[in-house]
Amino acid sequence: MVTTLLFILGAIVGSFINVVGLRWGTEETLGGRSHCTSCGKNLSWYELVPVLSFLFLRGKCRKCGAKISWQYILIELWTGLVFTSVFNVIAPSDLLSTIYYLLFTLIFSIYIVILIYDWYHKIIPDELVYTAILLSVVSRWLSVSSTLDWLAGPILFAFFGLIWLLSKGRAMGFGDAKLGLSVGLLLGATQGFSAIVLAFWIGALGSLIFIFLNKVGLPAQAGFIKGAKGLTMKSEIPFAPFIIISAWISFVFNLNIINVALF
Ligand SMILES: [Zn+2]
């Protein structure tokens, strides 16, 4: 029962996250009516129901028939999953664990906005990542932490910062280093390092699949990326989405792949 309600709440927050992620840093305010990005038609309430509207409209605008990006339903479903899965892991039972739950869902919600923004702009807004870092410090402070848990954030920051420096910003943005700092602080040593190893695995696999699908023209057709055609091995593929998805997986499954990765 609680799980169902949290999923619905998460999906609603997810539809809000979609709007925030797309409008962040643009002239458009958050208060403006939602509209079709193709024909500008204002959407009615029944076209704005998370998940269901997308299915009901079969992924198309009712007026002009333009395809609605899969981003909307995927982010709504995923945010719903985040709200329920984090609840199952933390299992809030008192004030402290409830605060802990709220912190985690808030941080992951910010991560998802970062994911959307980085996907389209290949840059991470400072306001978002600094807020995430600050909240991560609070959650680390509330947890039982070893010295290494506290150091996990700075270590990941140094790691990504070094890649950024050595590749002169080509392989990794400096924003990824800040995001690494937040993930390390949030998840601690074992889960934090595991998340980053997983991010590289998924990143490598995801890039290959994406480049393959792009040859077929699928991402552009599905509306995932505007002008995605012509993406090659050399194109900059944003890394933050991989870090964020991996951080969630690592936390939910209490991942420990350091030993596997190092030895
Ligand atoms: Zn339209």
Side-chain angles (χ1 to χ4, degrees):
M1 185 62 196
V2 177
T3 312
T4 313
L5 281 176
L6 283 176
F7 185 83
I8 294 170
L9 181 68
I12 294 169
V13 172
S15 70
F16 182 66
I17 285 175
N18 270 318
V19 176
V20 178
L22 289 175
R23 294 188 187 177
W24 191 275
T26 67
E27 299 283 296
E28 251 182 300
T29 58
L30 292 178
R33 289 281 302 272
S34 291
H35 52 78
C36 169
T37 49
S38 258
C39 68
K41 175 192 178 295
N42 276 333
L43 300 179
S44 324
W45 65 268
Y46 59 86
E47 292 168 302
L48 292 168
V49 183
V51 181
L52 297 179
S53 286
F54 187 91
L55 299 174
F56 170 72
L57 297 167
R58 295 205 194 100
K60 283 181 185 150
C61 169
R62 216 161 46 92
K63 190 178 173 205
C64 72
K67 278 182 183 161
I68 303 168
S69 170
W70 278 88
Q71 177 204 321
Y72 292 97
I73 188 167
L74 286 179
I75 293 293
E76 286 160 4
L77 288 172
W78 184 33
T79 313
L81 270 180
V82 165
F83 274 50
T84 50
S85 57
V86 172
F87 183 84
N88 288 335
V89 172
I90 295 177
S93 56
D94 53 13
L95 182 64
L96 185 67
S97 51
T98 306
I99 294 174
Y100 204 56
Y101 173 72
L102 292 174
L103 263 176
F104 263 77
T105 43
L106 182 57
I107 293 168
F108 271 111
S109 298
I110 296 172
Y111 281 175
I112 301 174
V113 179
I114 290 177
L115 179 148
I116 297 172
Y117 195 89
D118 191 52
W119 183 268
Y120 288 108
H121 306 278
K122 287 166 187 158
I123 192 160
I124 300 175
D126 272 340
E127 301 94 322
L128 291 173
V129 74
Y130 287 151
T131 310
I133 291 170
L134 197 74
L135 294 169
S136 303
V137 171
V138 177
S139 81
R140 176 58 34 216
W141 178 68
L142 289 175
S143 319
V144 183
S145 309
S146 68
T147 311
L148 192 59
D149 286 327
W150 274 104
L151 286 177
I155 289 171
L156 289 179
F157 178 78
F159 172 70
F160 282 118
L162 203 64
I163 299 178
W164 170 74
L165 208 64
L166 293 177
S167 73
K168 296 190 175 74
R170 275 193 290 268
M172 213 65 79
F174 192 55
D176 295 316
K178 297 173 195 165
L179 183 62
L181 176 62
S182 171
V183 168
L185 283 164
L186 182 70
L187 301 182
T190 307
Q191 287 181 6
F193 296 148
S194 299
I196 300 309
V197 173
L198 184 66
F200 277 101
W201 289 351
I202 301 180
L205 190 69
S207 302
L208 287 176
I209 293 173
F210 194 83
I211 287 161
F212 170 75
L213 288 180
N214 194 59
K215 292 251 184 241
V216 194
L218 213 65
Q221 278 174 23
F224 267 130
I225 283 196
K226 279 173 193 138
K229 275 192 179 148
L231 194 78
T232 63
M233 210 61 186
K234 280 189 173 167
S235 299
E236 214 186 315
I237 290 172
F239 195 60
F242 299 115
I243 299 178
I244 288 164
I245 290 168
S246 303
W248 172 63
I249 294 174
S250 183
F251 177 71
V252 170
F253 295 101
N254 191 14
L255 222 55
N256 182 2
I257 50 176
I258 300 302
N259 299 331
V260 184
L262 289 183
F263 302 105

